Amino acid sequence: MAAPSTGTCGLMERSVRERVPPLLTDLYQFTMAYAYWRAGRHQEPAVFELFFRDNPFDGGFSLFAGLHDCLLFLRSFRITDRDVEFLRFILPPNTDPAFFDFLRGLDCSTVTVRSVPEGSVVFARVPLMEVEGPLAVVQLLETSLLCLVNYASLVCSNAARFRLAAGHQRKLLEMGLRRAQGPDGGLTASRYTHIGGFDLTSNVQAGFLFGIPVAGTMAHSYVTSFSSLEEVWPQTLVTASGDPDPVDVISLTKVWLRRVCELLGAELGKIHEGELAAFLSYAIAYPQNFLPVIDSYSVECSGLLNFCAVALALCELGYKPVGVRLDSGDLCRQSMEVRRIFRLCSEQFSASTFNSLTIVGSNNISEETMTELNKKANEINVVGVGTHLVTCTKQPSLGCVYKLVEVRGRPRMKISEDPKKTTVAGRKAIYRLLDADGHPFLDLLCLNVEPPPEAGCTLICYPLGGDNSAVSVTPAQVTCLRREVFLKGQTFGAGVNTLKRTLVRSTSKRTLVRFANGLNTNWP
Amino acid sequence: MAAPSTGTCGLMERSVRERVPPLLTDLYQFTMAYAYWRAGRHQEPAVFELFFRDNPFDGGFSLFAGLHDCLLFLRSFRITDRDVEFLRFILPPNTDPAFFDFLRGLDCSTVTVRSVPEGSVVFARVPLMEVEGPLAVVQLLETSLLCLVNYASLVCSNAARFRLAAGHQRKLLEMGLRRAQGPDGGLTASRYTHIGGFDLTSNVQAGFLFGIPVAGTMAHSYVTSFSSLEEVWPQTLVTASGDPDPVDVISLTKVWLRRVCELLGAELGKIHEGELAAFLSYAIAYPQNFLPVIDSYSVECSGLLNFCAVALALCELGYKPVGVRLDSGDLCRQSMEVRRIFRLCSEQFSASTFNSLTIVGSNNISEETMTELNKKANEINVVGVGTHLVTCTKQPSLGCVYKLVEVRGRPRMKISEDPKKTTVAGRKAIYRLLDADGHPFLDLLCLNVEPPPEAGCTLICYPLGGDNSAVSVTPAQVTCLRREVFLKGQTFGAGVNTLKRTLVRSTSKRTLVRFANGLNTNWP
């Protein structure tokens, strides 16, 4: 079935205009813009750079994300009459009224942006975006661009770390919407964790807007809402092959439950009838998509046995049950036991489907527990991650900054008593140097006026943050890391639509993680 | 000047509808809704409770926030044809088409919500909201309500902790927009930190939508964009009293700079001319609002001296300079030195305005550094807080949950191998018991069917999480903690508009913090 034509591209552009109006910025951007305007400097050509000072999570890299939203923001940036009315109210009363005429209708048609591509592996202190334009205008863009890049890059990098910790076999499900910073935080998380390496999201709107595969079946509340088999309705199911006579699936399941309890030496009396009713109801509603959460009461005394009984009934009717979800306790130990029972059922009842059942695990998973999962024996196929993924518990902010490096062609810098906060003056070019195997091994910052490095030619460079001693390197290939993405009010080259496609397809995802692995084996 | 009529209320309701569409939820809400519908249970009356299991930040309390957005969400909740079209695409292909007819046009007209008031001091495990309605509908609301309450309450509580740490003298400025989880995270942070005790925000849109006072003057980029006094334009300023002859303010400032350097034994040669130009330009643009950031190069060798010179020139012309901002280094030590110089200037140059200058400090302030500020000698009047406030570094998620407690009048519970995750079955009433001084000392959970406690009557209760031993208490007053806020599709009693007014005025703020202090002296 084809995806409905949702017109999501137009929706997203409208949505960015509403989510990021020009007033969603720090007041000082407007007071500075006024001071520039008053001094007649507002049209002076200026260049800002956006970068972060430290790789997040004490790690070795970051992914750059949020560019797509930045471009939509720039394209729709326009100060309306209503904005001006409010600014007139909050700016000091002696503000020259002619300034408001300047603001009214201001847009980004004179702004040029050069940026590393969305989803790139990047490093601390490398200028990721260069924003060029009239001083007052590029100043006004600061907070919004930072807001759009900071969290997107952080959560995308966090997802990549979860992916690296999980390895390539396990599927990863993002389910953090309820723990994010409000609706937009949740949506941004779903979107950029997908780019960072997650396969699925629980967030329906993220599926709608970005085409990310959506997953989910039931919560504990569904299970606990049932108390007896009398609540199961309808009580019959037709076979998968479409036999006209519906089968009494309750009776069938009761038979299977007895057989399962016998096989496992379990007590029928400990089975929770409400849970069985919930599983049966769900299976009757979705016989092809049966994956219940089995820890509402007790996995081993009730949930697992109820699952097996219903799943075996489904198998008998020609359906393929999908699996189970574990949401509390020791996931590794439980998954081993669950798998053992599945294998036993498969053998004893000739139910080969039981050999390929999925076990989903979700219980406050962090990067550490994900790493441990790979060290301990377990049978978990899909891991659901919420809080620690979307809130980036280990470091909940990336700390991108936006610094002025050139005005009227003259380099500018800020000196600080904290040496790390001192900026590097002047416009730069960024090259990624690759070795003979095509592996990137160095990102090179040059001043724009310096000649670019050439493949095969040895060059001397000074590692940032090093002791000023020079290193000599010979790249086999040289690529330019940034490209022009916004010019004269329009996205350029890889336009918004193209970027969106890159985003929503998972092509970039695996490539990135491979790249992250290849670039430095000590990562993350 | 009156605030422009922005029609923000309608804006906010539209904005919530767009920010929190019914699809912004976990997929399993829809699969469960289908299973309920398929079993004919979707209309069964059900009750969910929203609560958190632990007070955030290892503290003794939380503030409850987000109710206003929840009410707007409930009021605008409606599943559209476009939503249905997408759901048809992602739900399993055998979903009965009649289910989509049920969904189409679904709203909250049959839902009733009882809630503690926005901004209340609340405690772990107390059900803050009770959501009652048809099983399928109240199930569908879970993720959105959690998403709207979780971060709002967390960041509001965090702000209250910063306020308690800062004491009542200092003004607090929220400036976290660029570090929040995207645009909406930033806006939510501005809004709820104001309720939690912050005085000001840098976020213009938060001023526009919620009437929060907005503050800010300049960033380092403004200062570094200037390199010489030639860039200052205009070079004159009329006096505050409106003399017709403009004064050459550059020459005047140069005179003052020489006098300041002489007084302090500072070297004129170390003064950064670009910084002086920046300060002068800003002062000419905003002579009544002069508050520059003074650490772009060196506070003691350049920034402070430049400030004094420009501020003394302003004083001579009859203006009142406002103060300075420090953004790096040891804020306490620097503020002491800055204040010393201000006093010296006041005495030497008879500039009494220098006795009431404001010193703003902002440099990665956390709750800990805020507490330290109160222990160390310093002269900081306003503290700007960004990252640690809006990302809630100490605990970036509150972990509210939404649990089913009753279906068709029958209590429901979930049992878990993790005892903390076991729910308390049945509908409850929550009373706040106050002592003879009017101080609240206990929140009491009863089953709805139990008689309410009475003032003056001793009652026996069992502390949650205690060892099951009973405590006997005699309240002097009893208040009911929750009230009906949503009924038949409409906000009820304290409607949305009233709530909004409560929100945007700072009345609640101080009361809350006093309350938090009064309730338990060991807080937070």
Side-chain angles (χ1 to χ4, degrees), chain B residues 344-358:
Chain B
L344 210 57
C345 286
S346 164
E347 283 160 29
Q348 293 292 315
F349 306 126
S350 306
S352 63
T353 304
F354 268 65
N355 286 327
S356 53
L357 288 172
T358 295

Side-chain angles (χ1 to χ4, degrees), chain B residues 6 53 76 106 115 165-166 191 194 276 334 358 406 420 515:
Chain B
T6 49
R53 295 192 181 107
S76 67
L106 203 70
S115 172
R191 180 179 189 182
H194 184 57
L276 182 61
Q334 289 181 96
T358 295
E406 190 183 280
K420 262 204 146 163
F515 180 29

